[in-house]
Amino acid sequence: KNQVEQSPQSLIILEGKNCTLQCNYTVSPFSNLRWYKQDTGRGPVSLTIMTFSENTKSNGRYTATLDADTKQSSLHITASQLSDSASYICVVSARSGGGADGLTFGKGTHLIIQP
Amino acid sequence: EAGVVQSPRYKIIEKKQPVAFWCNPISGHNTLYWYRQNLGQGPELLIRYENEEAVDDSQLPKDRFSAERLKGVDSTLKIQPAELGDSAVYLCASSPGGRVLHFGNGTRLTVT
């Protein structure tokens, strides 16, 4: 069964500090891995998407890494800001004939940035 | 571009009552999804449309849930009758080709 496990479940850090969120998956055959940010009361918004051949991708202060051999990904947030407070969801896509079918969502990491 | 629009944003109903949610996807996006998200959980797929065809509805509780996407654009999701366990956020998403999903802000349903 395809699964995506995220850790930690929740995290509190001070503004300006860095943090790293983890995602482990058992999705096969692997197609791509996505990180989404979900603000409270909002829908998820895409941060990054990585395919098998990509092992790092940045989007501003967000840097995602992918190790397809160990089936692990991380999302690193640099110099955190209050607006980074949100849930971060890891989503893994299984390869198929096309489209975004076969998506497996993690439960998310709830991040709180304190001033 | 305008994002995915969902309405209503909030809905409170008594159990056994019907309820409907509406979604207007991003123009040109052929693929439309309905997800259900419980508190502290990731979204769970209910149904996926390719244009007006439902291509994956295996997780849709068909005894009480129904959906339609007339003309391959807007979509509605209906629950009849609602149960207490249906309380959740219902998210609609659209995609132009399946890689990146664009989500609406959801409808928060409370069944009392």
Side-chain angles (χ1 to χ4, degrees):
Chain A
K1 179 181 178 183
N2 291 335
Q3 288 186 318
V4 174
E5 299 289 338
Q6 291 189 242
S7 62
Q9 184 175 0
S10 60
L11 180 63
I12 302 174
I13 64 171
L14 292 176
E15 184 180 12
K17 299 296 186 182
N18 303 335
C19 66
T20 300
L21 315 179
Q22 301 290 342
C23 173
N24 296 339
Y25 62 91
T26 56
V27 175
S28 181
F30 176 85
S31 176
N32 59 71
L33 184 144
R34 316 145 189 230
W35 283 95
Y36 283 83
K37 177 187 179 188
Q38 185 173 23
D39 293 314
T40 300
R42 300 284 193 172
V45 175
S46 179
L47 292 175
T48 65
I49 180 169
M50 289 186 292
T51 59
F52 186 88
S53 60
E54 297 172 301
N55 55 23
T56 186
K57 183 167 281 190
S58 292
N59 178 358
R61 294 179 297 101
Y62 300 101
T63 299
T65 65
L66 173 64
D67 186 333
D69 291 332
T70 62
K71 298 186 177 181
Q72 296 179 326
S73 175
S74 65
L75 181 69
H76 185 75
I77 304 175
T78 304
S80 62
Q81 300 177 358
L82 297 179
S83 59
D84 293 331
S85 294
S87 287
Y88 292 83
I89 302 174
C90 177
V91 185
V92 183
S93 175
R95 187 162 12 101
S96 66
D101 48 327
L103 293 179
T104 303
F105 286 73
K107 294 182 179 181
T109 292
H110 186 52
L111 176 64
I112 297 174
I113 310 299
Q114 288 187 335
Chain B
E1 66 180 3
V4 176
V5 179
Q6 291 188 246
S7 67
R9 286 282 281 132
Y10 306 93
K11 190 71 177 181
I12 302 174
I13 62 172
E14 293 182 346
K15 63 181 180 181
K16 299 185 181 179
Q17 294 302 306
V19 64
F21 314 125
W22 176 79
C23 173
N24 178 232
I26 293 174
S27 178
H29 285 195
N30 296 331
T31 310
L32 183 145
Y33 312 76
W34 282 103
Y35 286 90
R36 177 169 59 190
Q37 186 175 27
N38 292 306
L39 188 64
Q41 304 291 315
E44 298 174 336
L45 179 68
L46 291 173
I47 190 168
R48 175 170 70 93
Y49 283 93
E50 293 291 344
N51 298 305
E52 65 273 12
E53 181 181 1
V55 296
D56 184 356
D57 63 356
S58 58
Q59 302 302 313
L60 189 72
K62 298 181 182 63
D63 57 336
R64 297 184 300 107
F65 286 65
S66 64
E68 61 181 9
R69 190 183 185 196
L70 299 177
K71 300 182 180 179
V73 181
D74 293 359
S75 178
T76 56
L77 178 68
K78 299 178 181 178
I79 308 175
Q80 182 172 9
E83 297 178 352
L84 295 177
D86 295 331
S87 295
V89 175
Y90 290 83
L91 292 166
C92 178
S94 70
S95 172
R99 281 178 61 82
V100 178
L101 271 63
H102 299 261
F103 285 88
N105 286 327
T107 295
R108 180 177 296 278
L109 173 67
T110 301
V111 181
T112 63

